């Protein structure tokens, strides 16, 4: 039987760009504590539930998908490179998920951005060769999956991982409250230059849209593993906490995959310069 450690954490491109580590000191310290716990847990497999920012999946957007082979994009000062995806294992897992009623997309040769790369860089040693299973959850391109369906999907992923008999690190990445200017419209053909221009033009407003009250309420619900509240908050995330808050769907999926025990909040910090409420919460191995 597999054992799990689950880490759900915000990501932000600004964190990578701030190479000197000036901003987000509380969040960075919390992440460092979790990184040490991950090292003690010593995972044999990492499963990342991540969203996409209309890069890897722009014109055709899977509701749920697994990556058979792909790379990480170089961005924000962070190097890119290949992902150590165990293709035969991922194929078997995908077949098992499909057998349980989810029509799963399978992606090949995609370049994933900081939604996947940042948590891997922050939580694992620099030279880590732990196999990684990237699982995409549509959090940015409406229509989005219903939160209840996301929860059920995560539960099914946990079922197919259970017989592997490995130490598995589950990661949910994204959120909490934020409204990235590049996602305020539904264009799917933007260049990176257009994205940067939108961010610069909308940065001042976006920096004022972090919602600490909403973020803390979501973290408290994670601490109780109050699924009803989590699903309700995710359902209304755009209206109450910005389009980027939809990424908490990855937290719900990762949490459902790893069981039903409550989480422990390790840190929270609203970082207006990153236009994001930065939180991290952990279950198991803590």
């Amino acid at each position: 039987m597999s054992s799990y450690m689950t880490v759900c954490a915000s990501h932000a491109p600004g964190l990578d760009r701030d190479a000197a580590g000036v901003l987000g000191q509380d969040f960075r310290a919390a992440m460092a504590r979790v990184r040490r716990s991950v090292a003690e847990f010593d995972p044999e497999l990492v499963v990342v539930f991540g969203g996409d920012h209309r890069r890897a999946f722009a014109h055709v957007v899977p509701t749920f998908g697994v990556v058979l082979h792909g790379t990480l994009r170089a961005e924000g000062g962070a190097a890119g490179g290949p992902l150590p995806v165990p293709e035969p294992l991922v194929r078997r897992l995908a077949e098992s998920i499909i057998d349980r009623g989810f029509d799963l997309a399978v992606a090949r040769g995609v370049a994933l951005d900081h939604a996947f790369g940042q948590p891997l860089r922050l939580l694992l040693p620099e030279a880590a060769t732990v196999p990684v299973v990237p699982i995409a959850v549509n959090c940015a391109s409406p229509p989005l999956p219903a939160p209840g369906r996301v929860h059920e999907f995560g539960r099914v992923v946990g079922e197919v991982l259970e017989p592997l008999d490995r130490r598995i690190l589950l990661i949910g990445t994204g959120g909490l409250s934020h409204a990235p200017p590049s996602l305020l419209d539904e264009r799917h053909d933007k260049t990176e230059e257009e994205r940067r221009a939108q961010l610069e033009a909308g940065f001042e407003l976006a920096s004022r849209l972090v919602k600490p009250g909403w973020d803390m309420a979501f973290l408290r619900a994670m601490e109780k593993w109050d699924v009803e509240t989590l699903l309700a908050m995710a359902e209304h995330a755009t209206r109450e906490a910005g389009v980027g808050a939809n990424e908490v769907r990855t937290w719900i999926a990762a949490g459902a995959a790893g069981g039903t025990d409550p989480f422990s909040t390790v840190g929270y910090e609203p970082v207006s310069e990153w236009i994001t409420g930065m939180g991290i919460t952990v279950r198991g191995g803590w």
Side-chain angles (χ1 to χ4, degrees):
M1 303 289 280
S2 292
S3 58
Y4 302 107
M5 178 177 182
T6 309
V7 178
C8 297
S10 307
H11 61 240
L15 188 156
D16 285 332
R17 290 193 294 268
D18 180 18
V22 175
L23 301 170
Q25 291 291 333
D26 291 345
F27 178 77
R28 292 176 188 275
M31 181 65 76
R33 293 197 296 274
V34 175
R35 179 186 174 100
R36 291 192 290 270
S37 292
V38 168
E40 293 173 3
F41 180 68
D42 191 20
E44 298 169 289
L45 182 70
V46 178
V47 178
V48 185
F49 294 88
D52 181 57
H53 302 94
R54 302 178 192 163
R55 286 182 167 122
F57 307 109
H59 299 287
V60 178
V61 185
T63 299
F64 304 108
V66 296
V67 176
L68 278 185
H69 52 79
T71 60
L72 293 176
R73 297 171 60 97
E75 58 177 332
L83 270 169
V85 179
E87 184 172 343
L89 172 61
V90 174
R91 185 182 295 273
R92 293 197 304 273
L93 293 175
E95 290 170 349
S96 296
I97 292 169
I98 291 169
D99 286 344
R100 286 165 170 78
F102 279 88
D103 296 323
L104 192 68
V106 176
R108 298 172 176 84
V110 294
L112 302 171
D113 70 5
H114 59 274
F116 290 84
Q118 190 173 98
L120 291 172
R121 288 190 296 270
L122 293 176
L123 290 171
L124 297 171
E126 284 73 8
T129 58
V130 184
V132 175
V133 180
I135 299 181
V137 178
N138 179 20
C139 301
S141 298
L144 305 183
R149 188 66 170 161
V150 173
H151 178 267
E152 178 64 12
F153 174 71
R155 189 189 63 77
V156 165
V157 172
E159 284 183 2
V160 303
L161 293 172
E162 189 67 24
L164 296 181
D165 194 25
R166 302 189 192 185
R167 294 184 303 279
I168 301 175
L169 174 64
L170 302 167
I171 300 175
T173 166
L176 292 160
S177 64
H178 64 303
S182 60
L183 295 182
L184 294 180
D185 58 46
E186 294 194 19
R187 278 189 55 197
H188 289 70
D189 57 352
K190 296 173 189 173
T191 65
E192 290 303 307
E193 290 73 19
E194 288 175 310
R195 290 175 187 275
R196 283 194 292 271
Q198 277 192 301
L199 176 60
E200 291 172 5
F203 177 82
E204 184 177 351
L205 175 60
S207 69
R208 300 197 300 268
L209 295 179
V210 178
K211 306 290 186 182
W214 192 92
D215 296 341
M216 292 306 300
F218 196 88
L219 288 167
R220 286 194 295 270
M222 292 289 288
E223 290 168 359
K224 300 175 184 176
W225 193 236
D226 179 353
V227 173
E228 182 177 353
T229 296
L230 293 169
L231 299 187
M233 293 186 71
E235 183 67 33
H236 303 293
T238 298
R239 184 184 69 216
E240 297 178 358
V243 294
N246 285 301
E247 291 171 339
V248 297
R249 283 167 165 77
T250 70
W251 295 36
I252 291 169
T260 59
D261 290 340
F263 281 75
S264 297
T265 299
V266 184
Y268 172 75
E269 181 179 7
V271 185
S272 60
E273 295 89 346
W274 298 346
I275 66 171
T276 305
M278 304 294 295
I280 182 165
T281 187
V282 177
R283 175 203 281 156
W286 183 247

